[in-house]
Amino acid sequence: VATNAVEIVNASGGILGRDIELVVRDEGSDSATALAAIDDFISEDRIDALIGPMSSPIALAVLPLLVENKIGSCSPTATAVSLASFPDDGLFVRTTPSDILASEAMAQLIEQTGVVESLVAYPDDPYGRAFVAEIRRSLAVQGIAIVNEVAYDTDSSDYTPIAKELTADPNSVITLIGDSESGGRLLNSLLDTKSANKIIVNDALSQVDLSSNTNIDSEMRQSIVGVAVDAFAGTDADNNALLPPFAAAVVDCVNLIALAAIVSESDIAEEFMAQVPVVSRGGSGCNLFEECLALIKQSLNIDYNGVTGLLDLDPNGDPSRAQFVTFGFDDQGRSEFQARIIVIASP
């Protein structure tokens, strides 16, 4: 996908009269592998910009090195709340919605239940503590009170006591934050209570398999609703993906950096990255690189909206609106798509 986007830019004249050279290295699954790849990008390839990092933990690990070497980066997949406040000197942006927007989507779903109280469970780790801070804010905006918070140990093998605590009041909505492993174990424990509570969960829990739970037919299973990033932005009439996962976000990263470099007339990261949020809002709307380039040649400001038509970065380089999908679990215990919702960041 990135290759195709780069080919389009180069076929249109490239940047400052030069073609973009695309260099690909494996990020790997841990920070050590990623840091080694970044070292090679710096010492051997002398890159100006990076499409990535892909995962949030790796982004947090390698951003200091990227910032130190004044390399611009655009992540199409990293969602962590902490990246929004990372001291990146304006050199990092992302085209996928952060967990900040996801918390607002979850709060909207809770508000739609008509219930004004929620119990919140979150992993007692940096990820969970950052996410729950946004959940508190988003629920407050919707006028929903948190009546209890439970920070759970991700290494625990028995969540029965926590599940009973969360379901003590069947009239409250349970907001569950977690990963697919520990969060999945807690979700299974909640099903074991056979309570009628509605449960709102985050995107990682879409990977949970509930098929082995003996209470899969319970009322609670039917009350689970999750929020996930719409990774398959762009679908046909039957909701079949037209693009690979996160393809639109990858293309947006390439196009934003290319357009920002053209507008700034510079290949210096500090200069062109400052223009990335600017070209994503406030000018004449365009969705494709060629359309935007034609507007720039007419000396017009542009508003690159991307494949989804929704892209709009805030001054910090984070999407300020996004489309999410909601999911539930079918009678086989596997997640299934339900609907789409658009979320705009609260002031």
Side-chain angles (χ1 to χ4, degrees), residues 245-264:
F246 293 103
V250 171
V251 171
D252 287 343
C253 275
V254 173
N255 288 346
L256 280 171
I257 289 176
L259 292 166
I262 291 169
V263 168
S264 66

Side-chain angles (χ1 to χ4, degrees), residues 273-298:
M273 289 302 294
Q275 290 299 313
V276 170
V278 177
V279 300
S280 76
R281 65 179 194 274
S284 298
C286 51
N287 296 77
L288 303 175
F289 176 81
E290 303 98 312
E291 295 174 352
C292 295
L293 182 60
L295 293 171
I296 292 172
K297 289 180 177 179
Q298 297 175 48

